[in-house]
Amino acid sequence: MNMPAFEPSQGRMNPVLVTSAALGIVDSKPISNFVDGQNIYCDGERAGQVYRVEFGAVRVYRVLANGRRQILDFHLVGNWFGLQNEDFRRSSAEAIGATGIKSISLQETRFIWQGLVPVVLENYSSAQEHQLVIGRQSAIERVAAFLLEMSNRAGGTCKFDLFMPRIDIADYLGLTIETVSRALTKLKSGSIIRLQGTRGVEIVNYRALQNLCQ
Amino acid sequence: MNMPAFEPSQGRMNPVLVTSAALGIVDSKPISNFVDGQNIYCDGERAGQVYRVEFGAVRVYRVLANGRRQILDFHLVGNWFGLQNEDFRRSSAEAIGATGIKSISLQETRFIWQGLVPVVLENYSSAQEHQLVIGRQSAIERVAAFLLEMSNRAGGTCKFDLFMPRIDIADYLGLTIETVSRALTKLKSGSIIRLQGTRGVEIVNYRALQNLCQ
DNA sequence: CGTGAGCTTGAGCTCGATCAAAGAGTGTGG
DNA sequence: CCACACTCTTTGATCGAGCTCAAGCTCACG
């Protein structure tokens, strides 16, 4: 049985179709440009806008009192972020590399909430998927799951670039950079992946990677 | 490079008000009764309905191929669950104790999606909150966070009953039952909580518990 | 070609998992 | 009402995955 309220969406790959209502509004906005590491919004700040990545990437994260950081989600081209119900931000968002963002104010969103429902549901779904990874997977399984996720979001290619440094991967997966590095080395040694430079990844044995994710 | 200034969000919708449309439909439905452990929906199943807890409680979980289980969320009285974008379930839902559920078909939801937006946003928000706990907190910090969450959801009282067994707490927090038990014992020894029987909890030192959560 | 940030590798340690057993709580039947 | 049985929980002992601390190494950049 289909969800009749909106068109079906393929994972997070194709948000363009499902948000056509929102697109009409956001497309008329100018692109705001951000440099690497630049803040888009901040924990504790009043929430005023909803955002869409036009180019580049964004990390959304929280920092605990003791300095430990958890990256809640990465957002790539076409992804919406910053959607929330509360008045104040409970996380921060930063550009990864040179990044372009379009935004609409929350006041405008009342006209397009319906169009954004699938977007929120997808974000929710991927948050739950991620709970499973960080709750019940070993280090190597987390890294394998991460590589598959990035491969998917890069369009399903087996050769792609990671757009974030190791520390971001570690903070996304709930690990340390050393453990991430060791896991990547292990996957390389097992001829499951190939590494090119510090960001390039090629999945050689896709099946083996999937098996690791349970 | 600067984002336009954040505008204050005026007249933020109250979740109770905005779900009134949904409430109107679901209130006319009969309550379905479930016994302890009974399945409400199943991983892989075609998704047909959205649910609301009338009494009792529900656990939503995923099981990995190797048998490891992760509880994604607990749902208490008044909570909606089962909202998703995909056609098929990616998790299972079970009653905890005697539980009453009202449901509406997804076909009906087209009339109330807009009303359910805050519900989805809240579920999304709590999923992210939980990512932080299982990604970057130690065992005792996770258990402390869990007790505070349950206290809040029980209405902010410091004396309440846990409605789930230790194994559910463990699978929610990404720990083992032994570790959960040890953490509870430690909190008891530190006079931060008091335990009554196997389910009863009283928070004696609320501040100390909050400090543990960072 | 030099420099520094980011990444990898190594050694040792710690927290939580695992394995094992005892204790508490609940329900059933004599 | 108590004895038994069963499940759930607690406690103990040991082990190992991943963290921490500490060097080296790479690579992108000037």
Side-chain angles (χ1 to χ4, degrees):
Chain A
M1 193 215 95
N2 281 328
M3 312 268 286
F6 41 78
E7 302 97 304
S9 75
Q10 310 274 319
R12 307 170 54 127
M13 227 69 64
N14 204 349
V16 176
L17 285 175
V18 294
T19 55
S20 52
L23 266 179
I25 294 181
V26 84
D27 273 349
S28 63
K29 309 276 176 176
I31 292 182
S32 306
N33 287 285
F34 293 83
V35 299
D36 185 44
Q38 192 179 346
N39 199 263
I40 298 162
Y41 62 77
C42 223
D43 197 357
E45 209 170 73
R46 194 168 263 276
Q49 327 234 204
V50 172
Y51 307 91
R52 195 183 65 184
V53 181
E54 299 301 313
F55 60 86
V58 171
R59 60 179 163 251
V60 172
Y61 65 92
R62 285 264 299 269
V63 179
L64 296 175
N66 55 11
R68 285 175 289 187
R69 184 180 73 155
Q70 174 70 41
I71 291 185
L72 300 171
D73 215 344
F74 293 113
H75 297 285
L76 311 192
V77 175
N79 293 154
W80 291 81
F81 66 98
L83 297 100
Q84 60 173 59
N85 206 12
E86 303 89 32
D87 286 341
F88 295 92
R89 294 292 178 197
R90 312 223 47 185
S91 58
S92 304
E94 278 176 9
I96 307 175
T99 298
I101 304 280
K102 285 191 177 180
S103 62
I104 46 177
S105 79
L106 283 173
Q107 267 145 350
E108 291 175 272
T109 58
R110 90 182 97 146
F111 303 113
I112 57 159
W113 264 132
Q114 188 136 351
L116 287 178
V117 164
V119 171
V120 184
L121 284 171
E122 270 167 41
N123 282 350
Y124 176 37
S125 168
S126 83
Q128 291 200 323
E129 205 71 28
H130 199 55
Q131 276 181 43
L132 196 73
V133 172
I134 60 182
R136 285 288 179 230
Q137 306 268 64
S138 71
I140 191 128
E141 288 166 349
R142 292 183 207 199
V143 171
F146 174 75
L147 292 175
L148 286 177
E149 185 193 342
M150 287 303 129
S151 165
N152 276 337
R153 294 177 69 173
T157 59
C158 62
K159 202 170 181 177
F160 56 94
D161 271 357
L162 300 171
F163 44 83
M164 72 289 281
R166 297 285 187 271
I167 183 68
D168 281 2
I169 303 177
D171 285 346
Y172 182 56
L173 298 177
L175 300 169
T176 59
I177 45 173
E178 293 95 330
T179 302
V180 170
S181 180
R182 278 183 249 269
L184 286 172
T185 302
K186 203 168 179 182
L187 290 173
K188 194 175 70 174
S189 310
S191 296
I192 295 173
I193 61 169
R194 212 170 282 153
L195 297 176
Q196 275 160 11
T198 180
R199 298 277 170 103
V201 178
E202 187 184 351
I203 299 177
V204 180
N205 191 341
Y206 210 85
R207 180 61 58 93
L209 215 53
Q210 287 182 311
N211 288 343
L212 272 175
C213 297
Q214 292 286 343
Chain B
M1 75 154 230
N2 279 328
M3 297 300 293
F6 284 96
E7 299 142 34
S9 73
Q10 295 163 354
R12 216 32 162 358
M13 297 181 289
N14 177 322
V16 177
L17 289 176
V18 293
T19 53
S20 55
L23 276 175
I25 293 182
V26 83
D27 275 347
S28 63
K29 308 275 173 176
I31 293 182
S32 306
N33 287 284
F34 293 84
V35 299
D36 185 43
Q38 192 178 346
N39 200 264
I40 298 162
Y41 62 77
C42 224
D43 197 357
E45 208 170 73
R46 197 166 260 277
Q49 327 232 215
V50 172
Y51 306 91
R52 195 184 63 187
V53 181
E54 299 300 312
F55 61 86
V58 171
R59 59 179 163 251
V60 172
Y61 65 94
R62 284 264 300 270
V63 180
L64 296 175
N66 55 11
R68 284 174 288 185
R69 184 181 72 155
Q70 174 71 41
I71 291 186
L72 300 172
D73 217 343
F74 293 112
H75 298 285
L76 311 192
V77 174
N79 293 154
W80 290 81
F81 65 99
L83 296 101
Q84 60 173 59
N85 206 8
E86 302 88 31
D87 287 341
F88 295 92
R89 293 293 177 197
R90 312 222 48 185
S91 58
S92 303
E94 278 176 8
I96 307 175
T99 298
I101 305 281
K102 285 191 177 182
S103 61
I104 47 177
S105 79
L106 283 173
Q107 263 140 358
E108 290 175 273
T109 58
R110 96 180 80 165
F111 303 114
I112 58 160
W113 263 131
Q114 190 138 359
L116 287 177
V117 164
V119 171
V120 183
L121 284 171
E122 266 166 44
N123 282 349
Y124 175 37
S125 168
S126 82
Q128 290 201 323
E129 206 71 28
H130 199 55
Q131 276 182 42
L132 195 74
V133 172
I134 61 183
R136 285 287 177 230
Q137 306 267 64
S138 70
I140 193 129
E141 289 165 349
R142 293 184 207 198
V143 171
F146 174 76
L147 292 176
L148 286 177
E149 184 193 342
M150 286 303 129
S151 165
N152 277 337
R153 294 176 69 173
T157 59
C158 62
K159 202 171 181 177
F160 56 95
D161 271 356
L162 299 171
F163 45 84
M164 72 289 281
R166 296 285 186 273
I167 182 69
D168 281 2
I169 302 176
D171 284 347
Y172 182 57
L173 298 177
L175 300 169
T176 60
I177 44 172
E178 293 95 330
T179 302
V180 170
S181 180
R182 277 183 249 269
L184 286 172
T185 302
K186 203 167 178 181
L187 291 173
K188 195 175 70 174
S189 309
S191 297
I192 295 174
I193 61 168
R194 213 170 283 154
L195 297 175
Q196 275 158 13
T198 179
R199 298 277 170 103
V201 178
E202 186 184 352
I203 299 177
V204 180
N205 191 341
Y206 209 85
R207 180 59 60 93
L209 215 52
Q210 287 183 312
N211 287 342
L212 272 175
C213 296
Q214 291 290 339

